[in-house]
């Protein structure tokens, strides 16, 4: 039984079909890579699952429960949490306080939330920066806070929206290591990323969106050979290089 399943999901903005009839199931413990050109509907997909957008049609099931019309807080409480493509850190708050915002999802007492946040800061390698203002940290650390705040909600499923965009190769390697550590904790992960080396390295399976449609879904090595994926996203150069 999949942990998360989307059936016939569509999201229309007026005339624009940002998502059209998506059917996709994610197994517990899986790392699913989600790729596709700009505007393909990847972030919209995350917005629908996490209740930030109300889908036009279709259903979303989490652990067999229909969560299609649930709001963000309720979805988070159930165990699905996401990062934002544009970092949403509270710049005037410290790294610790930022991560506590996630921990408050399950801990109502400040002391308990702080304890949880401290544990997550250690897990994500941010403990030395816990008292620094998020706004003063590097992009890599801000992305790390974004991930830490998400993990602090104690989810079973995390949706990562370009958590490695804009990072240098060393920072990217560190971020990959962190995502693998998160996976080892038993979490199920959907990761949206444009850097193909990263997607190929961490994904068990890759789904490809193009103009709101799921065009291919399969093992990484098959997906990158697929003519439709090469045409819509990777281009002939990628094919020639690999
Ligand atoms: N709230 C909204 N209102 C109207 N149109 C929207 C809204 N959100 C997204 N769109 C449109 O839906 C389409 C899909 O956008 P989305 O952000 O999901 O793409 P994406 O695959 O995440 O792209 P990128 O790789 O650039 O992040 C785009 O044409 C976008 O302009
Ligand atoms: Mg996006």
């Amino acid at each position: 039984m999949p942990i998360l399943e989307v059936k016939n999901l569509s999201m229309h903005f007026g005339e624009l079909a940002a998502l059209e009839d998506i059917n996709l199931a994610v197994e517990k413990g899986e790392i699913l890579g989600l790729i596709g050109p700009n505007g393909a509907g990847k972030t919209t997909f995350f917005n629908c699952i996490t209740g930030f957008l109300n889908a036009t049609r279709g259903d979303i099931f989490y652990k067999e429960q229909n969560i299609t019309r649930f709001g963000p807080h309720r979805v988070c409480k159930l165990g699905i949490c996401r990062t934002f493509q544009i970092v949403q850190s509270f710049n005037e708050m410290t790294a610790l306080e930022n991560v506590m915002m996630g921990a408050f999802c399950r801990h109502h007492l400040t002391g308990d939330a702080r304890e949880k946040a401290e544990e997550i800061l250690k897990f994500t390698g941010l403990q030395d920066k816990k008292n620094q203002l998020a706004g003063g940290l590097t992009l890599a650390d801000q992305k790390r806070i974004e991930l830490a705040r998400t993990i602090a909600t104690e989810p079973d499923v995390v949706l990562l929206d370009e958590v490695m965009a804009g990072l240098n190769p060393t920072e990217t390697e560190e971020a990959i290591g962190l995502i693998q550590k998160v996976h080892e904790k038993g979490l199920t992960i959907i990761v949206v990323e444009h850097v193909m080396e990263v997607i190929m390295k961490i994904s068990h399976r890759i789904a490809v969106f193009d103009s709101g449609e799921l065009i291919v879904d399969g093992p990484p090595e098959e997906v990158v050979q697929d003519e439709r994926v090469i045409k819509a996203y990777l281009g002939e150069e990628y094919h020639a290089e690999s």
Side-chain angles (χ1 to χ4, degrees):
M1 186 56 67
I3 190 165
L4 181 68
E5 188 167 17
V6 161
K7 290 185 179 170
N8 309 108
L9 190 75
S10 296
M11 181 73 227
H12 294 180
F13 299 109
E15 297 283 288
L16 175 79
L19 294 174
E20 189 62 57
D21 204 27
I22 304 285
N23 287 284
L24 191 60
V26 186
E27 301 300 324
K28 186 175 184 319
E30 192 174 25
I31 302 183
L32 175 73
L34 178 56
I35 61 171
N38 296 118
K42 305 176 298 294
T43 298
T44 302
F45 186 64
F46 280 6
N47 283 334
C48 288
I49 293 172
T50 49
F52 286 85
L53 282 173
N54 211 347
T56 311
R57 262 199 306 278
D59 290 293
I60 303 159
F61 295 91
Y62 173 65
K63 296 180 180 173
E64 296 181 60
Q65 182 176 11
N66 192 326
I67 62 162
T68 316
R69 305 283 162 226
F70 288 11
H73 186 69
R74 199 162 168 206
V75 172
C76 185
K77 198 95 184 165
L78 278 175
I80 308 177
C81 196
R82 54 88 65 87
T83 64
F84 290 89
Q85 184 169 351
I86 316 261
V87 283
Q88 301 275 317
S89 299
F90 303 96
N91 289 336
E92 301 306 318
M93 285 165 56
T94 64
L96 173 65
E97 287 162 346
N98 267 279
V99 180
M100 281 172 70
M101 297 304 281
F104 278 124
C105 174
R106 299 202 192 278
H107 303 278
H108 297 293
L109 300 176
T110 307
D112 292 348
R114 181 177 292 120
E115 200 174 309
K116 184 73 204 173
E118 297 262 11
E119 174 199 320
I120 302 296
L121 284 162
K122 199 176 264 177
F123 178 79
T124 51
L126 281 165
Q127 70 273 34
D128 295 345
K129 292 161 185 153
K130 69 176 185 180
N131 294 321
Q132 293 186 30
L133 292 182
L137 295 175
T138 61
L139 176 69
D141 281 337
Q142 289 188 4
K143 292 259 182 193
R144 203 177 278 235
I145 289 179
E146 186 75 22
L147 182 61
R149 185 171 353 98
T150 302
I151 303 300
T153 67
E154 302 174 49
D156 286 331
V157 177
V158 282
L159 313 181
L160 307 180
D161 200 352
E162 301 198 27
V163 286
M164 285 164 274
L167 305 191
N168 69 34
T170 312
E171 293 164 345
T172 301
E173 277 305 315
E174 286 170 3
I176 291 173
L178 184 53
I179 291 170
Q180 283 166 338
K181 244 173 84 178
V182 170
H183 177 246
E184 282 161 20
K185 275 167 82 96
L187 275 71
T188 305
I189 303 174
I190 307 182
V191 53
V192 165
E193 201 56 70
H194 282 291
V195 185
M196 276 311 287
E197 289 81 351
V198 172
I199 282 288
M200 291 300 287
K201 201 164 178 174
I202 62 177
S203 308
H204 301 149
R205 183 162 64 106
I206 297 179
V208 188
F209 281 8
D210 184 35
S211 303
E213 292 184 27
L214 173 66
I215 57 166
V216 177
D217 164 22
E221 57 283 3
E222 282 178 25
V223 166
V224 292
Q225 302 283 340
D226 192 290
E227 287 302 328
R228 289 163 296 179
V229 180
I230 292 164
K231 190 157 174 279
Y233 184 56
L234 297 175
E236 296 296 337
E237 305 89 41
Y238 179 87
H239 203 216
E241 278 166 27
S242 52

